Amino acid sequence: MSKVLKSPGKYVQGPNVLETFDQYLQGMGSRLLIIVDSFVDTFVHPVLDRCFSGKDYALFYEKFEGECCQTRIDELASLAKTHSCTAVVGIGGGKTLDTSKAAAYCAGLPMVIVPTIASSDAPCSSCSVIYHEDGTFDRYLFLDSSPNIVLADTAIISRAPSALLVAGMGDAMATWFEARACRASGKNNQVNARPTRAATGLAKLCWENLKRDGLNAKMAVDAGICNEAVEVIVETNTYLSTIGFESGGLASAHGIQKGFTHIPALHRQLHGFNVAFCTLAQLVLEDAKEDMDDVLSFSHSVGLPICFEDLGYRDVDHDLVRKAAQQACVPTSTIHNMPFTVTGDMVYQALIAADAYGRAYHVKMSA
């Protein structure tokens, strides 16, 4: 079995790099369909206008809001062809970026991604999550390649609420523990190949960066500044976590998170918050006490959830938790990448135990 590492062709990060966007577009042509989140268009549009002023580019702006659904994807792919575009640029949050990646894929064009938040590892991934127009889940669209270019302007990203950066930390925190499990079990990564040592190493670097710089990055964003800690965590959330999960592999944390879709009270919770708590459940399954202590300490310090109440799920329905635990163990779940057999009953017990440990930790810290 071959080993495969998948990553963006070029990753650019730094404060105000959007102001010199054109310098990084070699090979992308000069006719760009720019799909921009309607919420960020007001401050992104003027920056791009200044950047491309007097230069030989044709820009076609399309504001995006709503769902990443096939109808909208088809419309945008058709628009790119109508304007004879040479590349698709997506600017904004998760749904805008997933739609842009899918539209570029359907149009057969290069994709350029500009995240304006660092709440997940979606910007660098070779996957789009597709929904129906009513907002219900449709399917995953697995792309042939990762984005050609990802540009992360930390001056913009650091203006977003710190809760979004923290959610990205929750998603990134799972990366090492899941990649470690895949390495131990010898199972495939998310591109159906064995993990490379580089991918596993980058997954471990995620956790090391979070422990060293996570709290400082949150405090910096809360204070309205962008310092080196913010730079480290943006890179961790956006780039390292992607390589770690796609090329290192997923395991219980994301498998259990998928089961959480069967608990309606958790539907509107940020993805990274759910994943953070599910990481605790994975560590319970592994009986990894030292790691549990580290994760409880880190999560509490930055404001990641460590119990169901932290997720806004105060009146826990044990029947629903059992259902979520069973769904986490469907045959296609990444939970089966663990180095031992996992059952629905084991997941249920791990979730209840993780909740108890989290509540006890809150009591300890408030004493």
Side-chain angles (χ1 to χ4, degrees), residues 194-274:
R194 293 287 187 262
T196 63
R197 292 284 177 180
T200 306
L202 292 178
K204 187 176 184 180
L205 184 59
C206 276
W207 182 221
E208 293 171 353
N209 285 352
L210 291 172
K211 288 188 291 183
R212 187 188 65 236
D213 292 311
L215 179 57
N216 287 337
K218 177 187 182 300
M219 292 190 296
V221 169
D222 283 338
I225 62 173
C226 179
N227 60 9
E228 182 58 22
V230 175
E231 293 285 346
V232 170
I233 296 306
V234 169
E235 181 182 344
T236 299
N237 290 3
T238 307
Y239 180 76
L240 297 179
S241 182
T242 302
I243 308 304
F245 99 78
E246 277 200 324
S247 297
L250 295 177
S252 285
H254 276 82
I256 298 171
Q257 182 270 327
K258 291 294 188 295
F260 272 15
T261 62
H262 294 270
I263 303 177
L266 300 178
H267 283 185
R268 293 299 177 184
Q269 191 54 264
L270 289 168
H271 171 78
F273 283 1
N274 283 336

Side-chain angles (χ1 to χ4, degrees), residues 282-294:
Q282 173 173 324
L283 296 175
V284 173
L285 286 170
E286 295 175 304
D287 194 26
K289 188 178 186 307
E290 184 176 340
D291 290 323
M292 277 190 282
D293 291 343
D294 285 347

Side-chain angles (χ1 to χ4, degrees), residues 157-350:
I157 292 171
S158 62
R159 294 179 205 158
S162 65
L164 296 173
L165 188 72
V166 170
M169 293 187 215
D171 204 15
M173 183 173 69
T175 307
W176 162 235
F177 301 110
E178 294 190 283
R180 180 180 70 178
C182 287
R183 171 69 59 183
S185 65
K187 297 294 179 66
N188 283 355
N189 56 24
Q190 296 309 106
V191 294
N192 200 32
R194 293 287 187 262
T196 63
R197 292 284 177 180
T200 306
L202 292 178
K204 187 176 184 180
L205 184 59
C206 276
W207 182 221
E208 293 171 353
N209 285 352
L210 291 172
K211 288 188 291 183
R212 187 188 65 236
D213 292 311
L215 179 57
N216 287 337
K218 177 187 182 300
M219 292 190 296
V221 169
D222 283 338
I225 62 173
C226 179
N227 60 9
E228 182 58 22
V230 175
E231 293 285 346
V232 170
I233 296 306
V234 169
E235 181 182 344
T236 299
N237 290 3
T238 307
Y239 180 76
L240 297 179
S241 182
T242 302
I243 308 304
F245 99 78
E246 277 200 324
S247 297
L250 295 177
S252 285
H254 276 82
I256 298 171
Q257 182 270 327
K258 291 294 188 295
F260 272 15
T261 62
H262 294 270
I263 303 177
L266 300 178
H267 283 185
R268 293 299 177 184
Q269 191 54 264
L270 289 168
H271 171 78
F273 283 1
N274 283 336
V275 170
F277 180 62
C278 293
T279 300
L280 270 178
Q282 173 173 324
L283 296 175
V284 173
L285 286 170
E286 295 175 304
D287 194 26
K289 188 178 186 307
E290 184 176 340
D291 290 323
M292 277 190 282
D293 291 343
D294 285 347
V295 167
L296 283 167
S297 175
F298 171 74
S299 296
H300 185 269
S301 72
V302 298
L304 284 168
I306 57 175
C307 62
F308 278 125
E309 186 170 356
D310 291 346
L311 290 169
Y313 193 33
R314 293 173 178 81
D315 299 319
V316 177
D317 184 327
H318 285 255
D319 289 336
L320 278 179
V321 175
R322 283 188 184 277
K323 181 179 180 181
Q326 292 295 334
Q327 288 297 317
C329 296
V330 297
T332 56
S333 174
T334 58
I335 207 167
H336 302 300
N337 287 341
M338 297 295 289
F340 50 83
T341 300
V342 181
T343 66
D345 187 59
M346 290 169 63
V347 174
Y348 168 75
Q349 292 185 46

Side-chain angles (χ1 to χ4, degrees), residues 31-32 35 62 76 114 119 153 190 198 241-242 244 303 311 324 354:
R31 298 178 66 82
L32 309 178
I35 304 168
E62 185 70 16
L76 291 166
V114 182
S119 62
D153 189 325
Q190 296 309 106
S241 182
T242 302
L311 290 169

Side-chain angles (χ1 to χ4, degrees), residues 121-134:
D121 45 29
C124 292
S125 75
S126 60
C127 173
S128 287
V129 184
I130 312 299
Y131 295 86
H132 296 293
E133 291 183 43
D134 63 1

